[in-house]
Amino acid sequence: MDSLTIKILQKKIPTSATIIPKELRQKYQPQGFTNNTSQIKVLFVTGEPRKYSLTYDLIYTAMKFFEQNHCAVALRDLYNIGFDPVLRAEEFYYVKDGLGHRPHYLAQEQALIKQADILIFAYPNWHDAPVAIVKGYIEKVFAKNFAYKDTEKGPVGLLTGKQLYTIMNCGYLGGGQGYIGDGIGQNDALWDKYMQAFKVFDDDTAQFWGMRNAGRFVNDQNPSNFGPNYAAKLKQIRHVLCEHLQRDLLN
């Protein structure tokens, strides 16, 4: 942990970044994929460097939820594995056209995606888009002739039968938890406007790859850092996330 983070935690310096109090933090390591063909396989691709953030707490909670519901879960923490999100010149034509050499590290990710029934991207919301390391993963791993192919009628997705989902932590509207229709009565029209905008991109991405867009869990109810009622609010967020995962992906 870097010195600035330690100072923030010790002196409770104000920051807009979410911080889970030390005594409330959890850790969870999923077991990975198995050879059991009857299990639903869930692949998490995460872009959050701080393991003590509320975003990562959502990831831990979700992975635990799926394994408790008899799913097989694998985690690709892009910071832990040192994923390079920069599209290099020597990779460009493979990614763009499916031509030339496929780098080994992209082949590894593609093999996991092929196994997965549910693909979940999880990251904090900065500027209404995936953070750079996740965006780079999407650009490089979902290459032509792996995720889609050209036909006489246009692009056709190759990852059929899979579901696409996003877990995103944010803090700008204060208006809801979930997706379209999941406002909490503060400003539901504005909430749905934002969620509809996300849905346009989610639908397009899923269709491009041949997947089904299963939606998002957007958490916009962050407790105040170091607040006295943090434990109760965190418990409620974890509970609501599990309810949405059940509704959106396992029903």
Side-chain angles (χ1 to χ4, degrees):
M1 194 175 291
D2 64 90
S3 59
L4 178 58
T5 297
I6 293 172
K7 187 180 295 185
I8 287 172
L9 294 175
Q10 290 178 341
K11 298 185 177 181
K12 298 185 178 181
I13 298 171
T15 171
S16 61
T18 60
I19 295 175
I20 300 285
K22 187 175 182 179
E23 66 275 12
L24 299 176
R25 293 175 197 164
Q26 61 175 333
K27 288 186 178 181
Y28 191 81
Q29 183 63 41
Q31 299 300 305
F33 288 165
T34 70
N35 293 324
N36 186 345
T37 57
S38 66
Q39 275 187 306
I40 295 173
K41 293 181 172 61
V42 186
L43 178 64
F44 282 77
V45 177
T46 69
E48 166 60 276
R50 302 171 312 131
K51 304 305 184 284
Y52 54 85
S53 71
L54 183 54
T55 300
Y56 227 98
D57 192 85
L58 296 175
I59 295 165
Y60 288 139
T61 299
M63 292 191 298
K64 183 177 181 180
F65 166 82
F66 282 113
E67 289 198 335
Q68 287 177 336
N69 282 273
H70 313 295
C71 300
V73 177
L75 169 64
R76 301 304 283 166
D77 182 311
L78 300 184
Y79 284 96
N80 283 2
I81 67 175
F83 185 85
D84 179 7
V86 178
L87 180 59
R88 308 291 177 180
E90 60 271 20
E91 301 168 327
F92 182 88
Y93 291 103
Y94 167 72
V95 171
K96 176 68 175 173
D97 300 310
L99 300 175
H101 173 69
R102 176 176 64 169
H104 176 67
Y105 80 103
L106 296 185
Q108 284 183 311
E109 304 307 317
Q110 291 171 350
L112 286 168
I113 290 166
K114 280 187 175 182
Q115 293 180 67
D117 301 296
I118 299 171
L119 173 61
I120 297 180
F121 291 111
Y123 50 83
N125 177 34
W126 284 16
H127 307 290
D128 293 330
V131 291
I133 200 166
V134 174
K135 185 62 165 63
Y137 184 97
I138 291 170
E139 289 176 352
K140 296 173 74 169
V141 174
F142 292 83
K144 183 181 284 190
N145 295 334
F146 167 71
Y148 65 97
K149 66 179 180 180
D150 287 335
T151 72
E152 292 181 355
K153 296 182 179 180
V156 172
L158 298 175
L159 301 175
T160 56
K162 304 180 187 297
Q163 299 187 78
L164 178 65
Y165 198 74
T166 301
I167 295 174
M168 187 177 78
N169 193 52
C170 59
Y172 54 94
L173 291 176
Q177 290 175 300
Y179 206 40
I180 299 165
D182 292 323
I184 58 173
Q186 293 184 8
N187 192 337
D188 290 354
L190 182 60
W191 172 264
D192 281 348
K193 180 180 179 181
Y194 273 82
M195 297 306 112
Q196 288 283 0
F198 285 130
K199 186 176 185 300
V200 170
F201 289 103
D202 295 341
D203 284 345
D204 184 69
T205 300
Q207 181 181 10
F208 196 65
W209 298 340
M211 296 183 179
R212 182 183 82 86
N213 170 32
R216 291 185 177 227
F217 180 81
V218 178
N219 176 59
D220 200 23
Q221 288 292 296
N222 296 335
S224 298
N225 288 331
F226 316 116
N229 58 348
Y230 200 105
K233 289 189 174 182
L234 180 62
K235 182 178 179 181
Q236 188 268 346
I237 291 170
R238 291 170 176 171
H239 175 71
V240 173
L241 170 59
C242 292
E243 285 188 330
H244 281 72
L245 295 174
Q246 181 71 48
R247 180 196 74 179
D248 297 341
L249 293 164
L250 296 186
N251 279 342

mmCIF file of all heavy atoms in Angstrom, residues 136-153:
data_model
loop_
_atom_site.group_PDB
_atom_site.id
_atom_site.type_symbol
_atom_site.label_atom_id
_atom_site.label_comp_id
_atom_site.label_asym_id
_atom_site.label_seq_id
_atom_site.Cartn_x
_atom_site.Cartn_y
_atom_site.Cartn_z
ATOM 1 N N GLY A 136 -8.908 -1.537 -22.911
ATOM 2 C CA GLY A 136 -7.853 -2.167 -23.698
ATOM 3 C C GLY A 136 -8.048 -3.664 -23.828
ATOM 4 O O GLY A 136 -7.776 -4.241 -24.882
ATOM 5 N N TYR A 137 -8.524 -4.296 -22.769
ATOM 6 C CA TYR A 137 -8.831 -5.732 -22.811
ATOM 7 C C TYR A 137 -9.899 -5.998 -23.868
ATOM 8 O O TYR A 137 -9.773 -6.917 -24.684
ATOM 9 C CB TYR A 137 -9.303 -6.177 -21.437
ATOM 10 C CG TYR A 137 -9.572 -7.649 -21.285
ATOM 11 C CD1 TYR A 137 -8.606 -8.491 -20.741
ATOM 12 C CD2 TYR A 137 -10.790 -8.213 -21.649
ATOM 13 C CE1 TYR A 137 -8.842 -9.855 -20.569
ATOM 14 C CE2 TYR A 137 -11.040 -9.568 -21.489
ATOM 15 C CZ TYR A 137 -10.071 -10.384 -20.958
ATOM 16 O OH TYR A 137 -10.320 -11.725 -20.796
ATOM 17 N N ILE A 138 -10.943 -5.205 -23.852
ATOM 18 C CA ILE A 138 -12.033 -5.379 -24.821
ATOM 19 C C ILE A 138 -11.510 -5.217 -26.244
ATOM 20 O O ILE A 138 -11.805 -6.016 -27.140
ATOM 21 C CB ILE A 138 -13.163 -4.377 -24.527
ATOM 22 C CG1 ILE A 138 -13.861 -4.742 -23.203
ATOM 23 C CG2 ILE A 138 -14.174 -4.333 -25.661
ATOM 24 C CD1 ILE A 138 -14.828 -3.696 -22.706
ATOM 25 N N GLU A 139 -10.725 -4.186 -26.466
ATOM 26 C CA GLU A 139 -10.228 -3.906 -27.812
ATOM 27 C C GLU A 139 -9.331 -5.030 -28.339
ATOM 28 O O GLU A 139 -9.393 -5.387 -29.516
ATOM 29 C CB GLU A 139 -9.441 -2.594 -27.814
ATOM 30 C CG GLU A 139 -10.311 -1.351 -27.631
ATOM 31 C CD GLU A 139 -9.471 -0.085 -27.536
ATOM 32 O OE1 GLU A 139 -8.225 -0.188 -27.465
ATOM 33 O OE2 GLU A 139 -10.070 0.999 -27.518
ATOM 34 N N LYS A 140 -8.493 -5.583 -27.475
ATOM 35 C CA LYS A 140 -7.482 -6.524 -27.939
ATOM 36 C C LYS A 140 -7.946 -7.976 -27.923
ATOM 37 O O LYS A 140 -7.623 -8.752 -28.819
ATOM 38 C CB LYS A 140 -6.218 -6.364 -27.086
ATOM 39 C CG LYS A 140 -5.573 -4.993 -27.235
ATOM 40 C CD LYS A 140 -4.418 -4.779 -26.274
ATOM 41 C CE LYS A 140 -3.194 -5.539 -26.656
ATOM 42 N NZ LYS A 140 -2.003 -5.131 -25.865
ATOM 43 N N VAL A 141 -8.696 -8.357 -26.898
ATOM 44 C CA VAL A 141 -9.088 -9.761 -26.762
ATOM 45 C C VAL A 141 -10.219 -10.126 -27.713
ATOM 46 O O VAL A 141 -10.228 -11.201 -28.319
ATOM 47 C CB VAL A 141 -9.480 -10.071 -25.298
ATOM 48 C CG1 VAL A 141 -10.025 -11.483 -25.170
ATOM 49 C CG2 VAL A 141 -8.280 -9.870 -24.371
ATOM 50 N N PHE A 142 -11.167 -9.210 -27.922
ATOM 51 C CA PHE A 142 -12.342 -9.509 -28.739
ATOM 52 C C PHE A 142 -12.057 -9.173 -30.203
ATOM 53 O O PHE A 142 -12.693 -8.327 -30.825
ATOM 54 C CB PHE A 142 -13.560 -8.764 -28.198
ATOM 55 C CG PHE A 142 -14.003 -9.287 -26.855
ATOM 56 C CD1 PHE A 142 -13.388 -8.854 -25.695
ATOM 57 C CD2 PHE A 142 -14.997 -10.251 -26.762
ATOM 58 C CE1 PHE A 142 -13.760 -9.357 -24.463
ATOM 59 C CE2 PHE A 142 -15.381 -10.758 -25.534
ATOM 60 C CZ PHE A 142 -14.763 -10.315 -24.376
ATOM 61 N N ALA A 143 -11.095 -9.880 -30.730
ATOM 62 C CA ALA A 143 -10.586 -9.621 -32.071
ATOM 63 C C ALA A 143 -11.508 -10.225 -33.139
ATOM 64 O O ALA A 143 -12.323 -11.113 -32.867
ATOM 65 C CB ALA A 143 -9.181 -10.215 -32.206
ATOM 66 N N LYS A 144 -11.333 -9.725 -34.357
ATOM 67 C CA LYS A 144 -12.072 -10.305 -35.487
ATOM 68 C C LYS A 144 -11.669 -11.771 -35.663
ATOM 69 O O LYS A 144 -10.518 -12.155 -35.461
ATOM 70 C CB LYS A 144 -11.790 -9.523 -36.771
ATOM 71 C CG LYS A 144 -12.587 -10.040 -37.973
ATOM 72 C CD LYS A 144 -12.269 -9.259 -39.249
ATOM 73 C CE LYS A 144 -12.926 -7.900 -39.249
ATOM 74 N NZ LYS A 144 -12.816 -7.234 -40.584
ATOM 75 N N ASN A 145 -12.636 -12.567 -36.020
ATOM 76 C CA ASN A 145 -12.523 -14.018 -36.215
ATOM 77 C C ASN A 145 -12.414 -14.781 -34.892
ATOM 78 O O ASN A 145 -12.316 -16.011 -34.902
ATOM 79 C CB ASN A 145 -11.367 -14.395 -37.141
ATOM 80 C CG ASN A 145 -11.600 -13.877 -38.549
ATOM 81 O OD1 ASN A 145 -12.736 -13.679 -38.980
ATOM 82 N ND2 ASN A 145 -10.516 -13.623 -39.267
ATOM 83 N N PHE A 146 -12.444 -14.041 -33.768
ATOM 84 C CA PHE A 146 -12.662 -14.669 -32.475
ATOM 85 C C PHE A 146 -14.037 -14.265 -31.937
ATOM 86 O O PHE A 146 -14.864 -15.118 -31.636
ATOM 87 C CB PHE A 146 -11.593 -14.290 -31.454
ATOM 88 C CG PHE A 146 -11.990 -14.672 -30.050
ATOM 89 C CD1 PHE A 146 -12.033 -16.006 -29.659
ATOM 90 C CD2 PHE A 146 -12.366 -13.699 -29.119
ATOM 91 C CE1 PHE A 146 -12.441 -16.362 -28.384
ATOM 92 C CE2 PHE A 146 -12.770 -14.044 -27.838
ATOM 93 C CZ PHE A 146 -12.804 -15.380 -27.462
ATOM 94 N N ALA A 147 -14.286 -12.972 -31.818
ATOM 95 C CA ALA A 147 -15.556 -12.490 -31.263
ATOM 96 C C ALA A 147 -16.602 -12.264 -32.348
ATOM 97 O O ALA A 147 -17.798 -12.302 -32.062
ATOM 98 C CB ALA A 147 -15.328 -11.208 -30.475
ATOM 99 N N TYR A 148 -16.169 -12.026 -33.559
ATOM 100 C CA TYR A 148 -17.099 -11.741 -34.666
ATOM 101 C C TYR A 148 -16.390 -12.023 -35.979
ATOM 102 O O TYR A 148 -15.164 -12.179 -36.025
ATOM 103 C CB TYR A 148 -17.581 -10.283 -34.621
ATOM 104 C CG TYR A 148 -16.471 -9.283 -34.841
ATOM 105 C CD1 TYR A 148 -16.246 -8.727 -36.098
ATOM 106 C CD2 TYR A 148 -15.619 -8.918 -33.801
ATOM 107 C CE1 TYR A 148 -15.218 -7.816 -36.305
ATOM 108 C CE2 TYR A 148 -14.588 -8.016 -34.003
ATOM 109 C CZ TYR A 148 -14.392 -7.466 -35.245
ATOM 110 O OH TYR A 148 -13.360 -6.578 -35.456
ATOM 111 N N LYS A 149 -17.171 -12.106 -37.044
ATOM 112 C CA LYS A 149 -16.597 -12.286 -38.373
ATOM 113 C C LYS A 149 -17.406 -11.476 -39.374
ATOM 114 O O LYS A 149 -18.570 -11.129 -39.131
ATOM 115 C CB LYS A 149 -16.599 -13.761 -38.771
ATOM 116 C CG LYS A 149 -17.995 -14.348 -38.961
ATOM 117 C CD LYS A 149 -17.926 -15.812 -39.391
ATOM 118 C CE LYS A 149 -19.340 -16.389 -39.580
ATOM 119 N NZ LYS A 149 -19.293 -17.814 -40.003
ATOM 120 N N ASP A 150 -16.796 -11.178 -40.488
ATOM 121 C CA ASP A 150 -17.494 -10.484 -41.569
ATOM 122 C C ASP A 150 -18.218 -11.496 -42.449
ATOM 123 O O ASP A 150 -17.691 -12.577 -42.737
ATOM 124 C CB ASP A 150 -16.500 -9.680 -42.420
ATOM 125 C CG ASP A 150 -16.004 -8.438 -41.713
ATOM 126 O OD1 ASP A 150 -16.719 -7.938 -40.834
ATOM 127 O OD2 ASP A 150 -14.889 -7.981 -42.031
ATOM 128 N N THR A 151 -19.417 -11.130 -42.876
ATOM 129 C CA THR A 151 -20.175 -11.929 -43.840
ATOM 130 C C THR A 151 -20.727 -10.995 -44.902
ATOM 131 O O THR A 151 -20.601 -9.773 -44.802
ATOM 132 C CB THR A 151 -21.339 -12.682 -43.155
ATOM 133 O OG1 THR A 151 -22.368 -11.737 -42.803
ATOM 134 C CG2 THR A 151 -20.871 -13.424 -41.917
ATOM 135 N N GLU A 152 -21.373 -11.568 -45.903
ATOM 136 C CA GLU A 152 -21.968 -10.740 -46.956
ATOM 137 C C GLU A 152 -23.069 -9.841 -46.405
ATOM 138 O O GLU A 152 -23.366 -8.790 -46.970
ATOM 139 C CB GLU A 152 -22.536 -11.637 -48.058
ATOM 140 C CG GLU A 152 -21.473 -12.391 -48.846
ATOM 141 C CD GLU A 152 -22.071 -13.250 -49.932
ATOM 142 O OE1 GLU A 152 -23.323 -13.333 -50.004
ATOM 143 O OE2 GLU A 152 -21.300 -13.853 -50.703
ATOM 144 N N LYS A 153 -23.650 -10.248 -45.283
ATOM 145 C CA LYS A 153 -24.726 -9.454 -44.672
ATOM 146 C C LYS A 153 -24.230 -8.567 -43.538
ATOM 147 O O LYS A 153 -25.009 -7.950 -42.827
ATOM 148 C CB LYS A 153 -25.827 -10.380 -44.160
ATOM 149 C CG LYS A 153 -26.517 -11.167 -45.259
ATOM 150 C CD LYS A 153 -27.623 -12.036 -44.699
ATOM 151 C CE LYS A 153 -28.337 -12.809 -45.806
ATOM 152 N NZ LYS A 153 -29.421 -13.675 -45.266
#
